[in-house]
Each structure stands twice: as C-alpha cells, then as structure tokens.
Amino acid sequence: MKITYKYFYTASYLSIIVGLISLLLLNINLLFQTMFSINFSLQGLGILLGIIGLFNSHSRTPGVWGIVLNIFSVIFIIVVTFISLTINYQP
Amino acid sequence: MKTENDSYINNDKQNKIIMSAKRKARWNTILLMLSIIFLILPFGYLSTVIYYKVNDRANNEIFVLETIYSLTEPNLQVDDTQIELEFTPFFGLHLSAPLYKEIGSETLKAGSYDSNLSLGFKRNESVNLTVKENTMNLRDREFSFIYPNQDIPSRLMNGLDKLNEIPEGTVTEAFLSLDKSYAPKEVESLLSDYDIKIVWNAVDTGLEDEMIDKDGSVVTPIGYPEENTAPSNSSFTEEDNKDLFVEQLNYLDTQKKITTSIMGEVSIASKERLDYINQNGIKIYGVVITGPTKEIQELGTQEEIRGIHIGEVEFWNWNR
C-alpha cells in the first residue's frame, strides 16, 4: 500500500517539475524573443503524470498543481500563436 | 491491551517524521515560488497580446503609422510588408519599419522608423534617415511647399539655380510649388509633356495658407502618393488614389489617440480638412516629382511652377 502511495506521489511531483520545465522554456523564448515550439509532448507527459497523481488522495493536490502548470503552457502557446497570426499577418 | 510505551512514538521516529514534514514543506515552498516566478512573464506577455488584440489596437498602430507617413511625409513611405512587431511583457509594443523614397526609377531605402510603446500609451520613437530630411520647421512654419498666395521664400526661389548646378546623367527628386491649386487631372496634363514621374501630391485643404488649425496648432502638409495603395490586411476599400486619400483621412480621424501620439505637437486636423475637401473637392497646390535632372530643369522654367525645393539626387537610373 505504501509503495503505491509513493508511485502516485512521485508522479504528481514529476508532473509539477515537467510543468516548471515547460514554463522555464516559455520564459527563455520570451526573454530571447524566439519562436515557441508547437511540440506539446513535454506538456502532454506532465498532464499524464498529473492525472496519475489524481488517483490517490495524498497526491491529488500536487497532481492538480502539475496539470494546471502544463495546461497553462499549452493554452499560452495556442492563444499567443493564434492572436499573433491575426496581427499584421504576412503570408 | 496497549501499554504506555506502545502509545508513544520514540524520539528517533518523532525526529524522522518532523524532518520529513519539514523537508516536504521546504520543497513545496520552493516549487510554489518557482511556479509563481515562472508564471509572471508568460502572464504579462499574454495580457499584453490580448490587450493589443482587443479593438485591433496593434493593427491600428501599424495602419495609422503607415497612413501618417503616406499622407504627411512627401515621398517617404513605410513598407507595410516589412514592418516588424514585437510584444514585450507588461503592455510593451515595439514597432520597426524601413522607410523608402522613390528617386528616378528606383525605390531606395531612406532610413528606419522605430517606436516603443510602454504600458500601452507612453511612446518613445526614433526616425533614422539616411537621406535629406523633408523641410519641416514648425516654429517658422516652413515646409517643402509654399501655398500659392504666399511670398516665395529664398530656399524655394533658388531651386532652379541649384538644378543648373547638378550635372547631367543624374535623376532628381523635386518638390514643386504651383502658382494655384489645380484639379489632379490639370496637374497631370500640366506635367504630361515632360519625361518625369509624379510621386506625391500636396492637397489644398484650406489650412495651407496659415498652416494652423482652429485650435492654434501647427498643421503638417497633407497629400497622397500618386501610386496610393492600401496597406495589406487593412480594411481600406478604395482603389483610386484620391478616394483612398479621403478614406485614409477619415480613418485617421477615427484613430485620433494613436494619431496624436505619433504626430506629437503637430496637428493633422483631419476633421477640418475632411470638411473642406468634402465641400471643395481635391485640389493640388504642390507635387513631388522625380526624373532626369535636365527634364526637371526645363519644367522648372514654366510659369505655373512658383518654387522648387531639391530633394535627393542620384546617379542615372531612369528607364521609363
């Protein structure tokens, strides 16, 4: 039982760490004015780990936290890319 | 039955639990702090992008800039396909654009325009020109053209002498002030016998005599490029250069805030000018032309030409 709890707990915290890494990459993109990567595999992994964490009451809060960070990264990239295309778009 | 010793956790175990809880709390705090720090910039950037998207603020900034250059800077145009736009977090917008001039048959880079908007309203702009700046002395209200009923200043009177000094085999940009306001068709026929190209038309809007609007602010000369085209992505619909000019002036009238922030202390007086144009139609009192120097010299001797201001001179590139 304790081993199962540890797995969920680790998955939740890994989800937060993956979310932080994707946010860090966003910050680097913004600071150096480079293009955002449209590859969402990192955020996908973070969301998956967060969902695993949701299945245990002890790891639920960090699981939600990780999911929120990763979803924010995805929404940020999609919204900014979409809006940028509508401003002075040059094909 | 539990003994007293069983109900207590021994000291080692207690310490372990406390240390583990402390470690967990410390890591939670670190992760929380990192989350907050890493979210600040993306949140600021997202707010900025949304702010400039609402009411099409960013596009209006671009279109107003292009329109102002097109209508108030004779023969100086912003290339709308090369405008670069960068958002900076916390409501910053950086716009940069190359400026072009038409001299002879070539369109040459004339410099660059940069503007930084911070907090959505505070503008810091710089214009770096690699060519001679258009005459715009606000204090003495001296511009590249002179209105028909005004005395010709010496700077425009000796334009023909300057042209005589320019060697053959060159092309010149010249600002011609006419003896009266003509209809655009009349200007075309006036210049049709010469191998030159009309680049920009200075329009008589009733304010050119004094160059002051009803509020007492100095106004800029206004007009339209002969090849007046709407910026790509804009909502301008007119195709005729004169109709597009009126549409552009109407647009500037609706974008007073941005127009004022770009023009600074100089007024564009769009409303007054529109009223005058709607009543009197479009009349031209000055033109910017380009072409072979000798051809312009010959044209300059015509009695309809009151004053000539010489702009840029380039090596021969005339192939019309």
Side-chain angles (χ1 to χ4, degrees), chain A residues 3 10 36 51:
Chain A
I3 294 167
T10 310
F36 301 120
I51 290 171

Side-chain angles (χ1 to χ4, degrees), chain A residues 7-80:
Chain A
Y7 279 134
F8 286 120
Y9 199 74
T10 310
S12 292
Y13 275 90
L14 275 177
S15 168
I16 295 175
I17 288 165
V18 170
L20 287 176
I21 292 170
S22 53
L23 279 180
L24 179 68
L25 293 175
L26 275 188
N27 277 271
I28 291 169
N29 283 326
L30 292 176
L31 286 172
F32 294 98
Q33 299 276 352
T34 49
M35 292 281 283
F36 301 120
S37 164
I38 312 286
N39 183 352
F40 295 122
S41 51
L42 191 66
Q43 289 89 343
L45 175 71
I47 292 168
L48 193 73
L49 289 168
I51 290 171
I52 294 170
L54 291 181
F55 289 104
N56 185 286
S57 60
H58 288 94
S59 60
R60 195 160 293 151
T61 310
V64 171
W65 182 356
I67 290 171
V68 168
L69 292 183
N70 285 289
I71 286 181
F72 176 80
S73 297
V74 175
I75 291 175
F76 175 87
I77 293 172
I78 291 172
V79 170
V80 168

Side-chain angles (χ1 to χ4, degrees), chain B residues 234-250:
Chain B
S234 72
S235 56
F236 296 124
T237 52
E238 299 292 349
E239 285 182 3
D240 178 73
N241 56 3
K242 299 173 282 294
D243 296 339
L244 182 58
F245 164 65
V246 175
E247 192 182 11
Q248 286 172 315
L249 205 50
N250 260 311

Side-chain angles (χ1 to χ4, degrees), chain B residues 31 67 80 89 148 159 177 205 223 228 263 278 280 282 302 310:
Chain B
L31 290 175
T67 308
D80 59 279
S177 299
T205 60
N228 197 9
M263 295 298 291
N278 287 335
N280 301 282
I282 291 179
Q302 299 301 305
I310 306 299

Side-chain angles (χ1 to χ4, degrees), chain B residues 246-295:
Chain B
V246 175
E247 192 182 11
Q248 286 172 315
L249 205 50
N250 260 311
Y251 172 71
L252 289 184
D253 195 48
T254 61
Q255 301 293 333
K256 278 205 171 81
K257 203 175 157 192
I258 303 176
T259 306
T260 311
S261 81
I262 294 176
M263 295 298 291
E265 56 190 298
V266 191
S267 166
I268 206 157
S270 45
K271 184 82 182 73
E272 280 175 71
R273 288 177 144 161
L274 277 168
D275 290 345
Y276 184 90
I277 290 169
N278 287 335
Q279 274 181 9
N280 301 282
I282 291 179
K283 292 278 174 67
I284 310 293
Y285 72 97
V287 281
V288 181
I289 58 165
T290 185
T293 307
K294 292 297 155 194
E295 200 76 18

Side-chain angles (χ1 to χ4, degrees), chain B residues 32-48:
Chain B
L32 183 67
M33 293 311 292
L34 282 175
S35 301
I36 292 169
I37 290 167
F38 289 168
L39 280 170
I40 292 172
L41 210 56
F43 254 119
Y45 192 83
L46 193 62
S47 317
T48 306

